[in-house]
Amino acid sequence: MRCTRPPFGGVLEGRFVSLEPLTRQLVPELFAAIGHPQIFAGGYGGGPAAYRDTLEGFTEFAESYYAWDAANVHAVRLVGGPHDGLLVGTSTLGDFDVSLGYAHLGWTAYDPRVWGTVVNAEAKLLILGSAFDSGFERVKIQADVLNTRSRAAIQKLGATFEGVARHDMRRADGAWRDSAIFSILSSEWPGIRRRLEERLDSQGGRPVELRQSAQ
């Protein structure tokens, strides 16, 4: 039997990004990165009604949305290049069921200027690696069924689509949300890891460049 334990929430170092525990002190940096209406429009944080356009409002949202006492809520920073150290997003590994070897990778959002870059690929490589190295059998990834961008990104990882959980949770405006459910099993991880590493290799060692923000 594999030994399963939640990964310890330390720093995860990659070639293009590094992950560190998200703390309340980092909320202003996180607001600068993801405090944009187009992120919440896709369903993040409960959808458009959860969006706050001020740091004060975002801080109130963050206080209730993130699992501050968990060790696996990550802040994502760029590594190298002119924007070295810039906080560009967040992602969490949570909802652990150690007896079943189950975890949930989610609560993910990035600065629109790094959409379509290798940032998500390497962040997922680091977080999924920490989960499967810790003995987990299945990692769930889900998205609002209406969020075509997130669903495409999850499929690009190589996760298997399991179906749609209807009326899975409430959006911030009180409406029901349906969730598209994907998963990765430990037996599938070596192949997915290899494809993610090949994608990072295609970057050729060049640091991530910020793109023009999506509107």
Side-chain angles (χ1 to χ4, degrees), residues 10 18 26 28 34 37 67 76 82 90 102 105 108 113 139 145 147 181-182 200 206:
S18 67
L26 299 181
I34 70 170
V76 182
T90 183
Y102 165 91
L105 174 53
T108 301
R113 295 175 297 173
V139 175
V145 74
N147 192 336
I181 308 297
F182 301 78
L200 298 182
R206 300 181 305 276

Side-chain angles (χ1 to χ4, degrees), residues 60-113:
E60 292 177 357
F61 158 79
E63 185 63 33
S64 62
Y65 185 67
Y66 299 110
W68 296 106
D69 295 329
N72 299 281
V73 185
H74 302 284
V76 182
R77 294 188 185 276
L78 296 182
V79 171
H83 303 288
D84 181 52
L86 181 68
L87 197 156
V88 294
T90 183
S91 192
T92 295
L93 186 69
D95 288 350
F96 299 111
D97 187 323
V98 173
S99 65
L100 295 177
Y102 165 91
H104 173 194
L105 174 53
W107 303 272
T108 301
Y110 297 109
D111 188 320
R113 295 175 297 173

Side-chain angles (χ1 to χ4, degrees), residues 18-150:
S18 67
L19 277 58
E20 65 185 74
L22 181 67
T23 65
R24 289 178 174 87
Q25 289 71 33
L26 299 181
V27 167
E29 290 182 77
L30 185 63
F31 174 61
I34 70 170
H36 307 291
Q38 64 265 44
I39 290 174
F40 288 80
Y44 184 72
Y51 172 66
R52 300 293 182 267
D53 62 358
T54 66
L55 175 58
E56 180 180 7
F58 183 82
T59 300
E60 292 177 357
F61 158 79
E63 185 63 33
S64 62
Y65 185 67
Y66 299 110
W68 296 106
D69 295 329
N72 299 281
V73 185
H74 302 284
V76 182
R77 294 188 185 276
L78 296 182
V79 171
H83 303 288
D84 181 52
L86 181 68
L87 197 156
V88 294
T90 183
S91 192
T92 295
L93 186 69
D95 288 350
F96 299 111
D97 187 323
V98 173
S99 65
L100 295 177
Y102 165 91
H104 173 194
L105 174 53
W107 303 272
T108 301
Y110 297 109
D111 188 320
R113 295 175 297 173
V114 300
W115 288 357
T117 70
V118 296
V119 165
N120 184 56
E122 185 161 51
K124 292 297 190 290
L125 176 66
L126 293 170
I127 297 173
L128 287 167
S130 73
F132 290 116
D133 288 348
S134 298
F136 281 83
E137 173 60 25
R138 175 179 180 266
V139 175
K140 179 182 79 170
I141 311 175
Q142 67 182 29
D144 190 316
V145 74
L146 301 178
N147 192 336
T148 56
R149 177 185 293 275
S150 290

